Amino acid sequence: MNNCTATYRLYDDKADFRKKAESIAVGMTVGSWTELPQAKRESMQKHLGQVLKVDVHEPEGDQPGERYADVTIAYPDVNFSKDIPALLVTVFGKISMDGRIKLNHLGFSDDYLSAFPGPKFGISGIRDLLGVHDRPLLMSIFKSVIGLNMDELRDQFTRQALGGVDLIKDDEILFENELTPIEKRVEVCLKAAEAASRETGKKLLYAANLTGHTSSLKSQAKKAIQAGANALLFNVLSYGYDVLHELSSDPEITVPIAAHPALAGAYYPSQHYGISASVLLGQLMRLAGADLVLFPSPYGSVTMPREENMAIRDELITNALPMKTSMPVPSAGIHPGLVPLIMRDFGQDVVINAGGGIHGHPMGTEAGGRAFVQAIEAARQSLRLADYAEAGHPELKAALEAWGGER
Amino acid sequence: MNNCTATYRLYDDKADFRKKAESIAVGMTVGSWTELPQAKRESMQKHLGQVLKVDVHEPEGDQPGERYADVTIAYPDVNFSKDIPALLVTVFGKISMDGRIKLNHLGFSDDYLSAFPGPKFGISGIRDLLGVHDRPLLMSIFKSVIGLNMDELRDQFTRQALGGVDLIKDDEILFENELTPIEKRVEVCLKAAEAASRETGKKLLYAANLTGHTSSLKSQAKKAIQAGANALLFNVLSYGYDVLHELSSDPEITVPIAAHPALAGAYYPSQHYGISASVLLGQLMRLAGADLVLFPSPYGSVTMPREENMAIRDELITNALPMKTSMPVPSAGIHPGLVPLIMRDFGQDVVINAGGGIHGHPMGTEAGGRAFVQAIEAARQSLRLADYAEAGHPELKAALEAWGGER
């Protein structure tokens, strides 16, 4: 029998967790069981949820803490259609509202997975597009773009591009607007990218923010691609995972999609409620086909605990899934001094993503990009950043002075 | 200037909340302000967020409690497109991930509202369809429908319909399936509804669950309507509010839409994080055009505090919005003895919605419906349920004995 699974953490001071697990397994599938006549049970058996595991954690005598159980339940695939809304409603629809419960992990059956082509590019595809295979990628974020006209936008784009970054992404709060509509924006920025490429010798992906009504997103994406867009940014959680799934599955959407985590904080930070960051920004983003996934880094101001970052990373790159990997993009508060630490945590399959850490560089945006390029090169050669900075890399030196050195 | 507003509760033991509010107002709009040259400030002024209010609550000396502030910020409409994803990303995208913060209220400008026709039917429209204007409506939920074939489904439908309910809704976990596909299900159930109507003399709405891929929902809805569907059920949160907005705005979708709260518990129950129930299931559901909105009642097992229920109700029916009202449907744990209490809390513009409280009736499903009809009639006449039960209403009597009397 094919099942998807869900693992929850249930908190309760005195509940019989085994009984509670059984009631979820029955209640979220066939509804009732013990009352069913024997003949009916036989025909319903294939629809019945099964409790796979109940791990009870009792608080220790001298360490008070909370009483909880990690519970895994199998949900027969036959009960739901092969889309993310159906799975989420099945495993967490009603019970999300039933006391202290957090959804911490999902398991996908092969049959369920068969409906998900996954990321179209993934880590290797993005590396192929950029022709970069031996180091972390570098992404720069537009800063304060609301209210900019096209010339100002082009100017900011060019300064980022000349710094030698691999990817530039729109601000996620840049919506369709009269000053810089997506088609025009893509056209202008890609032209600026080409000009910069002739100087830097580097390829560049520009992720344009896909916004508007749900039904218009595909045509918006295709218009942007026609205008030359070579990547897209998408606020997945404000639209739903199925929208990303449909975008990423569309053969005419021929560019990588970067998933932004906007609104994720409405789900993951509570200990007792919601959906864990690794499900939300790891498992479901990759399942839905995100090529790159942004999430709050543990390094800066908007922080997530390091172990949650590592759990997201694991889901994005695990080879347990029959689909391409997604590139992790830990974001917020990133400056060049953090590059070696990021590479210790993520290896080289990571995007170093900076906004303030590039635009706020004491020597300007272009130098900000260069400082990161230098930091990545130093880390790649296992050189100390401070030493590399002294060896004729003034941009890195200024960055280390401004934000602090290697950690 | 047109603005939408957002009110947050920020928790922090020692932060300068005014400063924090200012940094949100700037950070979520123009990005930076103090660094801007004067000339630039003039052109950016119309994009700048404004702090409207900062109410700091210091914990009292002898009542420890937590330190928090209620902060309201105005976001210029010019910054975002007139759709719910854009508004949510603007007001809660990034900052949802930045410490302990909960989104507690939204304010919509007239200009923003102009893009939202709201519920097509609303309370008055649903009453017109049913020809019932002077009492709460009664809704029955299919129970344990997974694995049922069409004959079993028809049988359960008929027993509910003969009990005299006004609305019957699909289980939200009934997805498109081979046994009971939506078009066939609608056809069979509506025929059963007609037959039952001839006996009860009552009209009946059947809300069929709309499922599948996002891009197929409109055509699924239209097929169901062609097959005779006179209402739809929709798991809004698994798809996103914009999908409901687009469904409810479509002139060819000529039936009321009931919004199911599946997954809502991933957002609202935490004190420190997420989105309040009144925003999630009140303001945004109505804005997106839900004619009926289900939410966990404060009466039963899946509970929400009463004041949160009242806050949802207020948002669904307030006449401060230039759109139709949405019918509140407090759900879960409802039995006939609760009817007077529900009417004290909600007045008569409410749907009494029961699953177990109908199917679990000691005399069967049909009697379960009748017990509610009797309870509603007693409450309408301001009679005590126990007295009315004794006066020749054995179904109500049995219900009060099974689940308890008036509270």
Side-chain angles (χ1 to χ4, degrees):
Chain A
M1 194 164 73
N2 291 316
N3 298 290
C4 289
T5 66
T7 302
Y8 314 93
R9 184 162 287 184
L10 309 176
Y11 292 85
D12 200 297
D13 296 341
K14 46 182 198 284
D16 178 339
F17 284 121
R18 163 65 57 177
K19 218 168 133 185
K20 213 162 170 174
E22 294 289 352
S23 95
I24 293 173
V26 173
M28 299 294 280
T29 57
V30 300
S32 52
W33 189 250
T34 46
E35 309 96 276
L36 290 183
Q38 188 56 38
K40 192 71 201 154
R41 282 195 200 180
E42 270 157 36
S43 74
M44 293 299 269
Q45 183 68 48
K46 69 169 182 286
H47 297 284
L48 178 65
Q50 299 289 346
V51 178
L52 298 185
K53 207 167 154 186
V54 179
D55 270 349
V56 180
H57 295 251
E58 300 286 351
E60 299 287 324
D62 46 346
Q63 278 190 337
E66 286 187 273
R67 186 171 177 270
Y68 65 85
D70 290 323
V71 166
T72 301
I73 290 171
Y75 294 90
D77 286 353
V78 64
N79 291 355
F80 48 90
S81 47
K82 293 189 188 68
D83 54 78
I84 296 177
L87 180 66
L88 286 178
V89 168
T90 295
V91 309
F92 206 46
K94 205 163 4 191
I95 52 163
S96 72
M97 298 177 276
D98 194 8
R100 288 182 297 163
I101 181 169
K102 187 163 181 176
L103 176 61
N104 275 337
H105 198 258
L106 293 170
F108 310 121
S109 71
D110 291 344
D111 196 40
Y112 184 76
L113 285 172
S114 69
F116 296 86
K120 204 172 268 158
F121 293 85
I123 293 178
S124 62
I126 292 165
R127 288 194 174 287
D128 288 346
L129 288 176
L130 290 167
V132 176
H133 294 89
D134 57 352
R135 60 164 172 83
L137 302 176
L138 176 59
M139 183 191 283
S140 169
I141 311 169
F142 270 108
K143 200 196 165 198
S144 311
V145 291
I146 284 183
L148 293 199
N149 63 31
M150 203 59 90
D151 288 338
E152 293 166 320
L153 199 82
R154 180 202 291 115
D155 179 55
Q156 197 186 118
F157 186 94
T158 296
R159 279 182 284 126
Q160 295 175 87
L162 289 174
V165 303
D166 304 298
L167 305 103
I168 296 177
K169 75 170 250 318
D170 268 346
D171 201 338
E172 83 282 0
I173 54 169
L174 184 65
F175 301 99
E176 208 43 22
N177 70 93
E178 284 173 18
L179 291 170
T180 54
I182 189 165
E183 280 177 86
K184 188 83 191 133
R185 193 162 84 231
V186 162
E187 211 176 282
V188 165
C189 289
L190 268 286
K191 216 165 146 187
E194 274 171 40
S197 273
R198 283 192 293 272
E199 291 203 29
T200 62
K202 281 182 167 176
K203 291 181 184 167
L204 185 58
L205 294 176
Y206 164 47
N209 195 23
L210 190 57
T211 68
H213 282 299
T214 309
S215 66
S216 72
L217 294 172
K218 272 196 184 178
S219 66
Q220 281 285 95
K222 289 170 191 176
K223 274 199 294 184
I225 292 167
Q226 284 247 299
N230 55 15
L232 294 167
L233 177 71
F234 188 51
N235 288 310
V236 180
L237 296 171
S238 65
Y239 289 97
Y241 290 103
D242 188 64
V243 178
L244 175 58
H245 182 196
E246 292 203 279
L247 287 169
S248 70
S249 308
D250 189 318
E252 289 178 54
I253 294 182
T254 51
V255 303
I257 302 175
H260 195 277
L263 298 174
Y267 302 83
Y268 72 74
S270 164
Q271 181 181 352
H272 298 122
Y273 302 101
I275 301 177
S276 74
S278 62
V279 170
L280 206 65
L281 301 172
Q283 295 194 284
L284 292 174
M285 287 297 186
R286 182 170 171 198
L287 186 70
D291 297 290
L292 305 109
V293 181
L294 284 80
F295 47 89
S297 83
Y299 315 114
S301 52
V302 176
T303 53
M304 180 187 283
R306 182 177 173 279
E307 61 272 27
E308 290 183 33
N309 255 240
M310 297 299 93
I312 293 174
R313 175 205 62 189
D314 291 348
E315 299 298 347
L316 295 181
I317 65 173
T318 174
N319 56 22
L321 290 186
M323 57 178 65
K324 294 201 172 86
T325 52
S326 307
M327 184 69 106
V329 191
S331 303
I334 308 296
H335 58 80
L338 291 168
V339 168
L341 175 58
I342 297 171
M343 289 177 68
R344 278 205 297 283
D345 284 342
F346 286 88
Q348 71 165 10
D349 281 339
V350 65
V351 175
I352 312 282
N353 181 29
I358 286 184
H359 299 288
H361 191 282
M363 296 155 70
T365 296
E366 202 180 315
R370 286 212 193 95
F372 272 104
V373 170
Q374 293 160 4
I376 291 170
E377 182 55 26
R380 208 179 61 82
Q381 297 183 32
S382 302
L383 300 173
R384 288 188 45 214
L385 296 191
D387 296 343
Y388 196 77
E390 290 300 333
H393 299 107
E395 294 91 348
L396 178 56
K397 191 173 176 205
L400 298 179
E401 278 162 14
W403 292 298
E406 206 159 331
R407 286 205 298 197
Chain B
M1 195 165 73
N2 291 315
N3 297 290
C4 289
T5 66
T7 302
Y8 315 92
R9 185 164 287 184
L10 309 177
Y11 292 84
D12 201 298
D13 295 341
K14 44 183 200 285
D16 178 339
F17 284 121
R18 161 67 57 179
K19 217 168 135 186
K20 213 162 170 173
E22 294 288 352
S23 95
I24 294 173
V26 173
M28 299 294 279
T29 57
V30 299
S32 53
W33 188 250
T34 46
E35 308 96 277
L36 290 183
Q38 188 58 37
K40 195 70 201 153
R41 283 195 198 179
E42 271 158 35
S43 74
M44 293 300 267
Q45 183 68 48
K46 68 171 183 286
H47 298 284
L48 178 64
Q50 298 289 344
V51 178
L52 298 185
K53 207 167 153 186
V54 179
D55 269 349
V56 180
H57 296 250
E58 300 285 352
E60 299 286 324
D62 45 348
Q63 279 190 337
E66 286 188 272
R67 185 169 177 271
Y68 65 84
D70 290 323
V71 166
T72 301
I73 290 171
Y75 293 90
D77 286 354
V78 65
N79 291 356
F80 48 90
S81 47
K82 292 189 188 68
D83 55 78
I84 296 177
L87 180 66
L88 285 179
V89 168
T90 296
V91 308
F92 206 47
K94 205 165 359 190
I95 52 164
S96 72
M97 298 177 275
D98 193 9
R100 290 182 296 163
I101 181 169
K102 187 163 182 178
L103 175 60
N104 275 336
H105 197 261
L106 294 170
F108 310 120
S109 71
D110 290 345
D111 195 41
Y112 185 74
L113 285 172
S114 69
F116 296 86
K120 205 172 269 159
F121 294 85
I123 294 178
S124 63
I126 292 164
R127 288 194 174 286
D128 289 345
L129 287 176
L130 291 167
V132 176
H133 294 91
D134 58 351
R135 60 164 173 82
L137 301 176
L138 176 59
M139 184 191 282
S140 169
I141 312 170
F142 270 108
K143 200 197 163 198
S144 311
V145 292
I146 284 183
L148 294 198
N149 64 32
M150 203 59 89
D151 288 338
E152 293 166 320
L153 199 80
R154 179 201 290 115
D155 179 53
Q156 195 186 120
F157 186 95
T158 296
R159 281 183 283 126
Q160 295 175 86
L162 288 175
V165 303
D166 304 299
L167 304 102
I168 296 177
K169 76 170 249 317
D170 269 346
D171 201 337
E172 83 282 0
I173 55 170
L174 184 66
F175 302 100
E176 209 43 22
N177 70 94
E178 284 173 19
L179 292 169
T180 54
I182 189 165
E183 280 177 85
K184 189 81 191 135
R185 193 161 86 230
V186 162
E187 212 176 281
V188 164
C189 289
L190 268 287
K191 216 166 147 186
E194 275 172 38
S197 274
R198 284 192 292 272
E199 291 201 30
T200 61
K202 281 181 168 178
K203 290 181 183 167
L204 186 58
L205 294 176
Y206 164 46
N209 196 22
L210 189 58
T211 68
H213 281 300
T214 309
S215 65
S216 71
L217 294 172
K218 273 196 182 177
S219 66
Q220 282 284 94
K222 289 171 191 175
K223 275 199 292 182
I225 292 167
Q226 284 246 300
N230 55 15
L232 294 166
L233 178 70
F234 188 51
N235 288 312
V236 180
L237 295 171
S238 65
Y239 288 97
Y241 290 102
D242 188 65
V243 179
L244 175 58
H245 182 196
E246 291 204 281
L247 287 168
S248 70
S249 308
D250 189 319
E252 290 178 53
I253 294 182
T254 52
V255 303
I257 302 174
H260 194 278
L263 297 174
Y267 302 83
Y268 71 75
S270 164
Q271 180 182 351
H272 298 123
Y273 302 102
I275 301 177
S276 73
S278 62
V279 169
L280 207 63
L281 301 171
Q283 295 194 284
L284 292 174
M285 288 296 187
R286 183 170 171 199
L287 186 70
D291 296 290
L292 304 109
V293 181
L294 284 79
F295 48 88
S297 84
Y299 315 115
S301 51
V302 176
T303 53
M304 181 188 281
R306 182 177 173 279
E307 59 273 26
E308 289 184 34
N309 255 239
M310 297 298 94
I312 293 174
R313 176 205 60 188
D314 292 348
E315 299 298 347
L316 295 181
I317 65 172
T318 175
N319 56 21
L321 290 186
M323 57 177 65
K324 293 201 172 86
T325 53
S326 306
M327 183 69 105
V329 191
S331 303
I334 308 295
H335 57 79
L338 292 169
V339 169
L341 175 59
I342 297 171
M343 290 176 68
R344 278 205 298 282
D345 283 345
F346 286 88
Q348 71 164 10
D349 281 339
V350 65
V351 175
I352 311 282
N353 181 29
I358 285 184
H359 300 287
H361 191 282
M363 297 154 69
T365 296
E366 202 180 317
R370 287 211 193 95
F372 271 104
V373 170
Q374 292 159 6
I376 290 169
E377 181 55 26
R380 209 180 59 83
Q381 297 183 34
S382 302
L383 300 173
R384 288 186 46 214
L385 295 191
D387 296 343
Y388 196 77
E390 288 301 332
H393 298 108
E395 295 91 346
L396 179 57
K397 191 173 175 205
L400 298 179
E401 277 162 14
W403 291 299
E406 208 160 327
R407 287 206 295 196

